[in-house]
Amino acid sequence: MDFSIVEKNLKDKGYTVTIFQTAAEAVKYLDTQIDRQTVGFGGSMTLEKMGLYETLQSHNTVFWHQRIPEGKTSKEIRLAANNATIYISSVNGLAETGEIINIDGNCNRVASIFYGHEKVYLVIGKNKLAKDYGSALYRARNIASPLNAKRAGVKTPCAIKGDKCYDCKSPERICRGLSVLWGKPMTGEFEVILIDEELGY
């Protein structure tokens, strides 16, 4: 895939952008960039598929609520991730025009992406890319969210039917917060890693 348009637009918005052909190459790169740090992970099937946690955990302290150590709670791990020096997440939609969109349930992920870390890495497979802001938002709501709801095993209309967002009132609804990065936040470093593979939802 030619990432040149979105790369230019992301750079114009203040992000560092690095492009890889494969997830394995991206893992090797991050393994060299992050050493002896505290690292927080956002909930992400992209990071899961890449095996990034296992690689970084060997020489960093990594907090991820998808890997809860014995004796710890999910809440404790989420809070530790929010206080880490480095934060790594994927996204639900990336517009070619440069807007970055996420939808979250507990909102720990969107909160951490916005503020509080020395550096944030956003790791994005080619399937997350959309033509413009409206298309990226549509993707986040009607493609990524139903798939995540189904994975979570909740009984929301989108999980059961698997076709779109129903803006439901279910107590199990996982779409509680929407975040849009119009540009790089003023504080902290942000690096967008684009991968020419389909990863996550």
Side-chain angles (χ1 to χ4, degrees), residues 139-155:
R139 186 197 188 283
R141 292 193 70 184
N142 297 289
I143 297 175
S145 293
L147 288 170
N148 276 313
K150 185 175 182 179
R151 175 183 60 83
V154 296
K155 296 179 177 63

Side-chain angles (χ1 to χ4, degrees), residues 10-195:
L10 286 168
K11 287 181 175 179
D12 286 347
K13 292 177 180 292
Y15 301 98
T16 298
V17 181
T18 311
I19 300 173
F20 296 97
Q21 291 300 305
T22 68
E25 291 170 352
V27 169
K28 288 180 182 178
Y29 170 75
L30 288 166
D31 195 33
T32 64
Q33 296 297 303
I34 305 169
D35 183 48
R36 299 181 184 180
Q37 300 285 341
T38 55
V39 183
F41 272 33
S44 170
M45 293 308 294
T46 293
L47 302 183
E48 178 79 64
K49 185 172 182 179
M50 292 171 67
L52 185 60
Y53 175 90
E54 288 72 20
T55 298
L56 293 182
Q57 179 66 20
S58 65
H59 57 105
N60 296 276
T61 302
V62 185
F63 302 103
W64 195 17
H65 63 277
Q66 291 179 210
R67 300 282 192 281
I68 302 174
E70 187 176 349
K72 296 291 184 180
T73 66
S74 177
K75 181 179 180 180
E76 288 172 330
I77 297 303
R78 290 173 200 266
L79 288 171
N82 286 1
N83 289 319
T85 302
I86 307 293
Y87 196 75
I88 306 176
S89 181
S90 189
V91 307
N92 297 132
L94 168 63
E96 284 188 3
T97 44
E99 295 85 6
I100 297 170
I101 296 173
N102 274 297
I103 293 175
D104 209 352
N106 286 305
C107 296
N108 58 297
R109 180 170 58 107
V110 297
S112 265
I113 290 172
F114 274 153
Y115 184 78
H117 308 280
E118 288 185 11
K119 184 160 186 177
V120 173
Y121 292 93
L122 299 174
V123 183
I124 306 170
K126 66 181 181 180
N127 52 309
K128 307 293 184 72
L129 192 60
K131 188 67 178 174
D132 51 29
Y133 168 74
S135 301
L137 177 60
Y138 180 91
R139 186 197 188 283
R141 292 193 70 184
N142 297 289
I143 297 175
S145 293
L147 288 170
N148 276 313
K150 185 175 182 179
R151 175 183 60 83
V154 296
K155 296 179 177 63
T156 57
C158 72
I160 294 168
K161 298 180 181 179
D163 57 347
K164 65 176 183 177
C165 172
Y166 287 82
D167 196 20
C168 70
K169 304 299 186 290
S170 170
E172 294 189 308
R173 175 175 174 151
I174 67 166
C175 303
R176 302 282 176 153
L178 168 70
S179 72
V180 181
L181 284 172
W182 300 107
K184 187 193 88 65
M186 291 181 178
T187 58
E189 296 181 55
F190 280 72
E191 183 169 350
V192 177
I193 294 178
L194 301 174
I195 302 173

